[in-house]
Amino acid sequence: YRGRFILGFKGCRCCGWGNRMVEWINDVPLKSPLAELEKKYGLPLPDDLKKLITAYNKGQPRPNRIPLGNGKSAEFYRLLSFNKGDNLSVFDCFDSEMKARQIFPFAMTENGNYICLKENAVILYNVEHNAEKYLCDSVSVLLGMLTD
């Protein structure tokens, strides 16, 4: 535990949606460059995700609720660790099913599902049902969506 950090992302200019600060707790230092992971999987990560992982690897956000519509939400439990050998590591989660579906996990929910990149979007991947739900267009937008 290194302490508490603040990372803010600007939201919509016209209405202010998403203008909030996200506090990160329980993060751990990143031990190896993300370029190694990108090269290994042939998967370039978006800049906003690289910055987030570099600053808050395995961290837990506050606020942490992702609105799903119809009054439902999911808890953004934590970022996965991008360190080999850590528990809750991306290296343990990124399996052949995900590779085949071209989805890349970077965080998890409270019930063991994953928040993933798919092409240029962020999705929620339900492990039990192999189901995908579109969330938004970028990691920055996702962080702006978080509520208490």
Side-chain angles (χ1 to χ4, degrees):
Y1 176 78
R2 294 188 312 172
R4 296 174 185 247
F5 300 90
I6 303 296
L7 183 62
F9 289 90
K10 294 195 184 280
C12 176
R13 289 184 187 161
C14 61
C15 66
W17 174 85
N19 283 323
R20 68 186 59 166
M21 299 301 280
V22 176
E23 180 180 25
W24 293 89
I25 60 172
N26 301 326
D27 55 304
V28 297
L30 186 62
K31 295 177 185 172
S32 57
L34 291 173
E36 290 178 18
L37 179 122
E38 291 177 297
K39 184 177 179 181
K40 177 178 180 174
Y41 294 113
L43 177 60
L45 299 175
D47 288 341
D48 56 356
L49 181 57
K50 287 183 203 179
K51 289 176 187 174
L52 182 65
I53 294 164
T54 300
Y56 308 112
N57 182 49
K58 202 178 177 183
Q60 296 174 286
R62 300 292 181 266
N64 66 351
R65 301 301 305 175
I66 305 167
L68 300 176
N70 298 328
K72 295 182 181 181
S73 67
E75 179 185 350
F76 185 139
Y77 174 61
R78 75 174 337 125
L79 291 169
L80 294 172
S81 176
F82 283 72
N83 293 330
K84 289 181 183 174
D86 284 359
N87 78 348
L88 301 177
S89 165
V90 69
F91 300 98
D92 298 330
C93 302
F94 190 44
D95 62 17
S96 59
E97 174 69 25
M98 289 182 176
K99 288 176 192 173
R101 294 175 85 120
Q102 297 182 330
I103 58 178
F104 181 78
F106 65 89
M108 63 186 310
T109 66
E110 78 280 10
N111 58 2
N113 292 320
Y114 294 105
I115 302 165
C116 304
L117 294 175
K118 182 168 185 171
E119 298 172 2
N120 293 322
V122 177
I123 64 161
L124 183 62
Y125 177 62
N126 182 309
V127 175
E128 185 178 339
H129 301 289
N130 287 326
E132 301 173 18
K133 177 173 179 53
Y134 170 84
L135 295 175
C136 59
D137 289 335
S138 73
V139 174
S140 295
V141 171
L142 175 69
L143 296 179
M145 292 168 55
L146 297 177
T147 63
D148 292 322

